[in-house]
Every structure is written in C-alpha cells, then in structure tokens.
C-alpha cells in the first residue's frame, strides 16, 4: 500500500495569542479556552485528553482519558490503578496531558505530577456513574490480556448477578488521579505556519511566561 499524504494540509486563521491580552495565570487561560471549546458546536468530547506516561517497558505510552474536573489544585481523571497507565504512574508520576480542538485550531499541553486522589473523592464520583459503568469497572481488569470477548461478557454477567439488588461497591483498584501542573503550553494555529506558542512554567509560587518559536 502506498498513500502519499503530502498534500494534506490546511492553513490556520481562526485566532491569535497576544501576550498583552492573555491572563498571567495559565489556569485562567485554560478555563477560558476550555469554556470556549465546550460552547463551540464543532468540538466533540471537549474533555477528551491524551495522557502520556513513561511506561515500565521504557516506551512512552499515550491514550485518551476524560478530564473530570479542574481547579487550582490540578486536573482530575479516573481509571483503573492496576492498568498499564496506573503502573506507569506508580513508577514515574510525571505525566503529560494534551488537548487538541481542531475547530478552534488550538492545542494545550500540560505537564505535571500525578497523585492518587482520596478514596472518599473517588467513591463520590464512582457513585455518580451509571450502574453499567460501575459494573464494568469490576468486570474489566484493564490492560490485562483476555482470552476473547465472551470472557468479558461473562465477567459482566457475573458481577451483574453478584450485585443484584444492591449498590455496586467501588473496586479498591479504581479511582482518580490529580495532575498538578508544572507547565502549560497554549498553541494557536496561525497563517504561514507562524503559530503562536505561549508557555508558562511554574517558578516557585509564580508562573514564568515565554513565547516559543513555532
Ligand atoms: C474518548 C475516550 C475516553 C476515554 N476515557 C477513559 C477514561 O476516562 N479512563 C480510562 O481509564 N480509560 C479511558 N479511555 C480508554 C483509554 O484510552 C485506554 O484504552 C485505557 O484506559 C487503557 O489504557 P492503558 O492500558 O494504557 O492503561 C478512553 C478512551 C477514549 C477513546
């Protein structure tokens, strides 16, 4: 198979990032961009972000997870602590989160340290999930090899029966991580490949801001 994609390109003209007009706190800018993306008809799954880890086999690992909250403390997502990503974070808590919203020609890259949130917080979120997702968390040993699809369906049936008529307990291996940001990069596509890239790096209690060449 041969497929030359050399002509696949577009020019970016939807916005600009001007230092004089952006807030000095990157979280404020994140919030502005997130809300704009959330309210934009062309953006689907606004909270889907790529989580990259340093995996235990030495390769970087990336996968999409859903951002479930953000505030001054950081960015929260939920997963199985025994999964590949969970094991990666156990051995190296430094992670990278990235968002790409093509409809706005924007990308945000956040680097930071991931720590488990409290069991009580994870439980509160777990209890808000649909019952099917709660049972799925028991049925799937995320990232483990399974024999076939039937095995997964059987596991689901097993836990549906097990918890029939009662609340589904949160598995101990399921919960959230909080990523405390150490740097943010805001990327706005521009014409002629002269994109805007504004980076904020944590410097003690302050944020140092700089512009990077595209
Ligand atoms: C749109 C989307 C949202 C996802 N959200 C989550 C999530 O919030 N948590 C999660 O554990 N996996 C989520 N996944 C599945 C992950 O991408 C991944 O397949 C899974 O977590 C196993 O990753 P790992 O083996 O690297 O640990 C999502 C996938 C997609 C495409």
């Amino acid at each position: 198979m041969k497929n030359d994609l050399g002509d696949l390109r577009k020019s970016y003209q939807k916005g600009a990032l001007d230092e004089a007009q952006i807030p000095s706190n990157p979280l404020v800018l994140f919030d502005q961009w997130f809300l704009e993306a959330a309210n934009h008809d062309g953006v689907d799954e606004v909270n889907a972000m790529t989580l990259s880890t340093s995996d235990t086999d030495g390769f970087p690992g990336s996968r999409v997870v859903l951002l479930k909250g953000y505030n001054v403390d950081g960015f929260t997502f939920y997963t199985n602590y025994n999964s590949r990503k969970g094991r990666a974070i156990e051995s190296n808590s430094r992670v990278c989160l990235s968002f790409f919203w093509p409809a706005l020609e924007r990308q945000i890259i956040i680097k930071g340290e991931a720590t488990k949130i409290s069991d009580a917080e994870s439980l509160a979120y777990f209890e808000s999930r649909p019952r099917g997702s709660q049972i799925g968390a028991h049925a799937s040993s995320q990232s483990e090899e399974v024999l076939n699809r039937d095995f997964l369906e059987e596991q689901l049936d097993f836990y549906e029966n097990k918890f029939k008529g009662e609340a589904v307990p949160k598995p101990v291996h399921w919960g959230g991580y909080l990523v405390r940001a150490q740097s943010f990069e805001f990327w706005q596509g521009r014409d002629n490949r002269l994109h805007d890239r504004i980076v904020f790096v944590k410097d003690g209690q302050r944020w140092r801001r700089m512009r990077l060449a595209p």
Side-chain angles (χ1 to χ4, degrees):
M1 193 196 305
K2 192 167 177 291
N3 197 351
D4 182 357
L5 308 177
D7 286 340
L8 271 189
R9 62 173 72 88
K10 61 176 276 189
S11 64
Y12 301 106
Q13 293 171 334
K14 293 197 169 149
L17 257 183
D18 176 0
E19 283 91 332
Q21 282 163 14
I22 57 178
S24 53
N25 185 328
L27 188 64
V28 175
L29 185 55
F30 178 89
D31 189 44
Q32 282 176 7
W33 276 27
F34 190 87
L35 294 179
E36 280 175 49
N39 291 319
H40 193 292
D41 285 344
V43 176
D44 203 17
E45 297 215 72
V46 62
N47 59 334
M49 58 184 184
T50 299
L51 162 73
S52 299
T53 50
S54 302
D55 285 354
T56 46
D57 58 7
F59 285 96
S62 295
R63 75 291 283 158
V64 173
V65 293
L66 295 179
L67 178 67
K68 286 293 173 175
Y70 62 91
N71 58 30
V72 287
D73 294 328
F75 299 81
T76 303
F77 65 91
Y78 290 88
T79 193
N80 182 318
Y81 289 140
N82 297 333
S83 64
R84 182 171 60 113
K85 75 182 89 46
R87 283 179 269 127
I89 293 169
E90 195 67 37
S91 73
N92 181 352
S93 59
R94 293 181 165 182
V95 301
C96 183
L97 307 174
S98 63
F99 298 83
F100 175 43
W101 297 311
L104 289 160
E105 300 172 349
R106 286 175 174 171
Q107 170 180 238
I108 303 178
I109 301 170
I110 299 165
K111 289 183 186 168
E113 298 258 351
T115 50
K116 287 179 184 169
I117 64 173
S118 72
D119 215 41
E121 281 175 276
S122 292
L123 181 62
Y125 175 66
F126 185 81
E127 287 177 346
S128 76
R129 302 180 85 204
R131 189 174 173 87
S133 306
Q134 293 177 335
I135 291 174
H138 284 270
S140 163
S141 298
Q142 195 177 53
S143 316
E144 295 298 319
E145 183 173 352
V146 287
L147 204 55
N148 50 36
R149 174 90 205 173
D150 287 348
F151 172 78
L152 291 175
E153 307 279 359
E154 282 159 21
Q155 288 292 103
L156 198 70
D157 288 347
F158 173 83
Y159 284 104
E160 262 167 7
N161 279 326
K162 181 170 176 177
F163 300 127
K164 201 172 229 147
E166 56 179 86
V168 181
K170 181 185 81 57
V172 281
H173 58 262
W174 189 95
Y177 285 100
L178 177 76
V179 178
R180 289 176 209 278
Q182 292 178 359
S183 71
F184 287 79
E185 176 182 333
F186 295 88
W187 183 98
Q188 176 74 61
R190 298 289 302 271
D191 214 0
N192 298 318
R193 296 294 179 260
L194 281 191
H195 315 300
D196 287 325
R197 295 177 67 193
I198 302 292
V199 170
F200 294 78
V201 181
K202 191 110 201 228
D203 188 1
Q205 291 306 318
R206 299 163 56 94
W207 289 98
R208 196 159 50 84
R209 189 174 73 187
M210 68 196 95
R211 176 178 283 267
L212 299 185

